[in-house]
Amino acid sequence: MAAKLYKATATFPSLGDESRQEVMVEAGGWAAAMGLAARKLKALAPLKRKQIKICSIELQLMDGGAPQSIENSENSTGAAEEQAS
């Protein structure tokens, strides 16, 4: 399977002015892209040494055709709710 380009846009309500962050990842599928995006987001300067309790991540397929998005929201309990739109 060829790698596809995804744009991950995350919202972290506890960060105030820096609550919206974006990263680009390349992966074979949306699940792998979500994992890579989470790791890249955590490495960003505004998130260093911060405990994240709530975040929302939107994953958008950038390669070919109409953009597709997948949302993943997590809270501190680790429960995830995924929606494909």
Side-chain angles (χ1 to χ4, degrees):
M1 178 182 286
K4 298 174 186 170
L5 185 63
Y6 294 89
K7 178 172 80 170
T9 305
T11 305
F12 302 92
S14 62
L15 293 182
D17 292 340
E18 298 177 322
S19 65
R20 186 175 167 94
Q21 301 289 327
E22 288 185 359
V23 294
M24 300 293 281
V25 294
E26 198 169 329
W30 71 268
M34 187 63 75
L36 288 171
R39 285 188 283 283
K40 273 191 162 183
L41 287 163
K42 184 60 182 159
L44 294 175
L47 296 170
K48 291 279 185 178
R49 298 179 180 237
K50 301 272 190 214
Q51 181 180 10
I52 304 301
K53 294 183 180 181
I54 298 173
C55 81
S56 172
I57 300 175
E58 180 179 311
L59 194 62
Q60 184 175 13
L61 178 61
M62 301 302 287
D63 287 343
Q68 301 173 1
S69 346
I70 298 168
E71 286 188 34
N72 183 17
S73 300
E74 291 194 26
N75 62 25
S76 61
T77 62
E81 182 179 310
E82 298 175 12
Q83 299 176 356
S85 44

